[in-house]
């Protein structure tokens, strides 16, 4: 299956509208009640996806001075497909000057036998703001993890702010060793890009306990901050990322 969802947010006199809201295949896009000037969109899974061999893509743009908040109605479940080929899930976000985009979906769950490659390509204008949360649960309860490769590339004002890649699951060297996840099966990160960090950047924080998982919040040149966390389950992972977010002195994500 090949499917694409497109979302465009535009500022109209201080209120964000959605001139483009188009989804097909597994992507059903729903407008949510606005909170202040922001436009809010929920991505609803209309069918089972991604499966092996699927090609899925989301394109979201916040035009100048617009505020766009994106969430999902439920976790995304990657499953074994009829083919052993990897499913491709490509997310492209563009944020213009003075605009803000918050991407706060439910977790991605990689079921046993699944094979998924997820890519993020994010382009930010110099005064754009971004809050991006990604959470991965490696295997459902009592089952081994599927295979997941995730790659994140963030550019700000045409320059690379962050690029990273990680692979988990079968045939990925050392992913479940003590240097990576050890016994944890939930991992994720929170990336915040905010021009105000140029004057008051967050400081390094270590969060968590051996039982609940660990997170580290670090400032990035950009200006930005990145929190990376590992935890025994999704509940503890979300708590760690929310704590890291509040440590930056910005409001905790509502979604």
């Amino acid at each position: 299956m090949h499917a694409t969802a497109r979302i465009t947010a535009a500022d109209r006199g201080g209120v964000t509208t959605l001139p483009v809201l188009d989804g097909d295949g597994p992507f059903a896009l729903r407008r949510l009640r606005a909170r202040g000037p922001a436009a809010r969109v929920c991505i609803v899974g209309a069918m089972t996806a991604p499966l092996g061999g699927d090609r899925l893509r989301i394109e979201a743009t916040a035009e100048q001075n617009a505020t766009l908040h994106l969430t999902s109605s439920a976790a995304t479940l990657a499953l074994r497909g009829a083919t052993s080929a990897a499913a491709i899930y490509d997310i492209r976000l563009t944020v213009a000057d003075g605009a803000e985009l918050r991407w706060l979906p439910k977790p991605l769950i990689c079921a046993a036998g699944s094979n998924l490659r997820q890519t993020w390509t994010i382009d930010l204008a110099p005064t754009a703001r971004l809050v991006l949360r990604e959470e991965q649960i490696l295997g459902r309860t009592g089952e081994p993890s599927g295979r997941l490769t995730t790659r994140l590339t963030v550019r700000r004002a045409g320059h690379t702010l962050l690029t990273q890649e990680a692979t988990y699951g079968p045939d990925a060297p050392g992913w479940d060793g003590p240097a990576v996840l050890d016994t944890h099966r939930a991992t994720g990160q929170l990336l915040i890009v905010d021009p105000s960090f140029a004057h008051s950047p967050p400081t390094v924080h270590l969060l968590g306990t051996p039982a609940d998982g660990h997170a580290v919040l670090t400032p990035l040149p950009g200006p930005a901050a990145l929190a990376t966390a590992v935890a025994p389950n999704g509940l503890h992972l979300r708590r760690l990322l929310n704590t890291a977010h509040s440590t930056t002195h910005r409001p905790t994500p509502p979604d």
Side-chain angles (χ1 to χ4, degrees):
M1 175 175 59
H2 292 226
T4 300
R6 295 181 176 87
I7 305 163
T8 299
D11 176 66
R12 297 291 185 267
V15 176
T16 299
T17 63
L18 297 168
V20 177
L21 192 64
D22 179 32
D24 62 2
F27 300 125
L29 305 180
R30 299 288 182 264
R31 301 171 190 256
L32 300 179
R33 184 184 299 274
R35 292 176 178 167
R40 301 170 62 235
V41 176
C42 181
I43 302 169
V44 179
M47 61 181 69
T48 300
L51 304 175
D54 286 351
R55 299 292 185 269
L56 307 179
R57 184 183 179 107
I58 296 177
E59 300 173 357
T61 299
E63 295 182 349
Q64 188 169 0
N65 298 325
T67 303
L68 175 62
H69 295 180
L70 299 172
T71 187
S72 61
S73 62
T76 298
L77 180 61
L79 294 168
R80 182 199 303 269
T83 172
S84 60
I88 305 298
Y89 195 172
D90 183 26
I91 300 168
R92 295 178 177 257
L93 309 177
T94 304
V95 191
D97 274 315
E100 176 179 291
L101 192 151
R102 292 191 175 204
W103 176 274
L104 302 169
K106 300 296 190 295
L108 166 67
I109 302 173
C110 295
S114 63
N115 185 5
L116 177 64
R117 292 187 61 88
Q118 186 176 47
T119 61
W120 304 77
T121 305
I122 303 172
D123 286 289
L124 306 173
T127 59
R129 298 180 303 280
L130 173 75
V131 179
L132 172 76
R133 183 181 68 213
E134 58 170 337
E135 301 167 321
Q136 293 110 20
I137 312 299
L138 303 172
R140 293 171 292 190
T141 301
E143 74 175 13
S145 173
R147 183 176 176 86
L148 170 66
T149 298
T150 177
R151 182 173 181 82
L152 172 65
T153 302
V154 183
R155 293 185 291 264
R156 179 175 181 268
H159 301 285
T160 300
L161 171 66
L162 177 66
T163 182
Q164 60 182 28
E165 181 172 321
T167 301
Y168 308 105
D171 302 323
W175 73 278
D176 54 355
V180 187
L181 296 187
D182 198 11
T183 60
H184 296 306
R185 290 299 175 267
T187 183
Q189 57 187 1
L190 180 76
L191 174 65
I192 305 171
V193 182
D194 192 317
S196 69
F197 289 164
H199 307 290
S200 56
T203 57
V204 175
H205 284 272
L206 298 176
L207 306 167
T209 67
D212 297 335
H214 293 280
V216 58
L217 173 69
T218 57
L220 300 176
L226 178 68
T228 303
V230 296
N233 55 52
L235 177 61
H236 288 93
L237 178 67
R238 176 66 62 85
R239 288 175 177 169
L240 285 167
L241 293 177
N242 282 347
T243 300
H245 196 277
S246 64
T247 303
T248 67
H249 308 296
R250 288 174 58 88
T252 301
D255 297 303

